[in-house]
């Protein structure tokens, strides 16, 4: 099936991630993955930021 938008077909992300051209994990740029995870080099948030606390190693 051909989509007009190469990034999203309707509301579904076609590519595994959207990322900046300079994205290097843990170093620079930004990336938003299809699973909902994201990495940003620097961020400003206005409004309310919610977070989940995960216990590592348990």
């Amino acid at each position: 099936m051909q989509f007009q938008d190469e990034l999203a077909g309707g509301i579904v992300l076609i590519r595994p991630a959207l990322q900046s051209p300079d994205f290097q994990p843990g170093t620079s740029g930004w990336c938003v993955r299809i699973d909902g995870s994201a990495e940003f080099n620097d961020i400003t948030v206005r409004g309310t930021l919610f977070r989940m606390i995960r216990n590592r190693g348990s």
Side-chain angles (χ1 to χ4, degrees), residues 9-58:
I11 60 170
V12 178
L13 188 62
I14 296 171
R15 306 227 182 238
L18 301 177
Q19 64 187 47
S20 63
D22 64 338
F23 177 66
Q24 293 295 319
T27 305
S28 65
W30 57 267
C31 177
V32 178
R33 296 175 194 85
I34 198 168
D35 67 1
S37 62
E39 181 177 334
F40 298 93
N41 186 47
D42 193 10
I43 187 169
T44 300
V45 178
R46 292 179 182 84
T48 304
L49 176 64
F50 296 94
R51 69 181 181 128
M52 289 180 55
I53 299 172
R54 296 166 111 183
N55 293 328
R56 293 184 181 206
S58 56

